[in-house]
Amino acid sequence: MCRIEGKKSKLSVMGFKTGALGDSRVEKLKSSMMSRSRMKLWMIRATTSILLWTCVVQLMTLGETWGPRVLKGWPSCFSQESAAAFVVNSSPEVPARVLPPKRVYKNNGYLMVSCNGGLNQMRSAICDMVAIARYLNVTLIVPELDKTSFWADPSEFQDIFDVDHFITSLRDEVRILRELPPRLKRRVELGMIYTMPPISWSDISYYHNQILPLIRKYKVVHLNRTDARLANNGQPMEIQKLRCRVNFGALKFTPQIEELGKKVIRLLRQKGPFMVLHLRYEMDMLAFSGCSQGCNKDEIDELTRMRYAYPWWKEKIINSDLKRRDGLCPLTPEETALTLRALDIDSSIQVYIAAGEIYGGRRRMASLSAAYPNLVRKETLLEPSDLMFFQNHSSQMAALDYLVSLESDIFVPTYDGNMAKVVEGHRRYLRYKKTILLDRKLLVDLIDQHTAGSLTWDEFSNAVKEAHTERMGNHTKRLVIPDRPKEEDYFYSNPWECLESSNEDETLSSSI
């Protein structure tokens, strides 16, 4: 404005008159110059905003793989996980959930895992993989569940487990994502990924020395078989405790499964105490084990054909009698009835059958039904509409049986498969609920002697009870067999490091 006013004074001195027209032009000139200044200022601000936004987006993208520790410690406004951490529950009736703080660490890469087997085999594998990811300081992608096994269950992780709870409850230990960041996901889709099965029963140093360098090199490593890949014993105490934390806390079933499980338990409790009998006598179990005790010729031929129909099952020719004498076969329904009676299990107790379809149907269940008439299954307790969404989803059905098994007054597995082992360990964790661990090798010998008439009923019953006095799921240290991990006690059947009394024992022993 000073420059314009100076110019006006100069014109007056030179003898020119600035009338109304001159004043109008000056005002237009002033207005034009001010508009241009505002336009430039607006353009500078817009350009600066775009540049800053671009920088933020680029930093976030780079931070997924190479972000510095300080950036990884900041909560992201753009992730569902971070949003969940700051949600305040507006309902006064339900207290807001307090989430553990995020663990800050330098991310060494990403670990993808594909679990194999049935529900409980995959469950224990997930616990192992979380512990491994935590120890290697990598980001774990939500595990993929087996869809190609014998059961052909199409369920995803989130169909069985509460995925949000899984991610947030472990956020102070390990970063877990539902899927890879977009750039790395594209690489995987193009086949640019390192895939391998880890060595079975390896200790944690194997993963540090062999797997971590691969993750650092390739950024993403995919472990495609994860069952029994972490050793039972000799692991750091924090690793063992984390395996328990995942198993007993982070792996919650979906609300739908939890609610239906509670309904089954409520229906059972209304009629008194109940026992869960994990009667592992389904067609696939008998075919693959080669155990055919009590089956007729047509059934034996059918089981044999099924075994040969699956090329991945290596053992084809099996001596059923020899396996049974070695205690490697599940007890038959007839043998189970004799055993329960010998143990003086009340015949009026409700017996919940946690299993699939029993091979041989009513004919094979006749003696068990006669001895324990209050036999029930989820299919008899629930309406068809309750189970409609669970049909053809064996893992979701198994999840229901798992929940009922945990809450039963007595749990009796007739074979030491994955469900029997994991439920046994979980019941130990729940203050040593009564779990009868049958000595099958001894039992079949006693049963044969009783059937042959060389043992009276009282002699048979006393021998069975005496043999199982210390096999009721009580507290004990795991059996360790160096160089033979398959034969030693399984970690998830007896996680003594995570039980309160084990810590008391250690304190007592150290003070002596």
Side-chain angles (χ1 to χ4, degrees), residues 222-240:
H222 174 226
L223 302 183
N224 57 10
R225 291 183 67 86
T226 55
D227 62 315
R229 302 295 153 161
L230 189 57
N232 293 313
N233 302 296
Q235 307 311 304
M237 184 63 74
E238 61 269 19
I239 294 295
Q240 303 291 59

Side-chain angles (χ1 to χ4, degrees), residues 97-129:
R97 182 182 170 200
V98 179
L99 299 180
K102 283 185 179 180
R103 176 170 169 258
V104 179
Y105 62 95
K106 180 181 178 182
N107 183 29
N108 287 319
Y110 296 80
L111 180 64
M112 298 178 66
V113 297
S114 294
C115 303
N116 56 297
L119 173 65
N120 293 286
Q121 187 172 329
M122 293 190 291
R123 183 188 184 101
S124 56
I126 292 166
C127 299
D128 287 351
M129 292 300 113

Side-chain angles (χ1 to χ4, degrees), residues 189-209:
E189 291 171 349
L190 294 173
M192 300 168 61
I193 184 173
Y194 190 91
T195 300
M196 63 172 289
I199 297 174
S200 299
W201 307 113
S202 299
D203 63 24
I204 202 70
S205 64
Y206 161 79
Y207 290 92
H208 185 269
N209 298 329

Side-chain angles (χ1 to χ4, degrees), residues 1 27 110 112 116 136 192 322 365 392 400 442 451-452 491 496:
M1 287 180 65
E27 290 300 323
Y110 296 80
M112 298 178 66
N116 56 297
L136 300 185
M192 300 168 61
L322 183 60
M365 291 293 288
N392 302 318
L400 283 178
L442 175 65
T451 304
F491 173 81
W496 62 262

Side-chain angles (χ1 to χ4, degrees), residues 3 118 232 429:
R3 292 177 61 188
N232 293 313
Y429 183 78

Side-chain angles (χ1 to χ4, degrees), residues 78 129 290 341 466 477:
F78 308 98
M129 292 300 113
R341 286 178 55 209
E466 183 180 353
K477 283 286 190 76

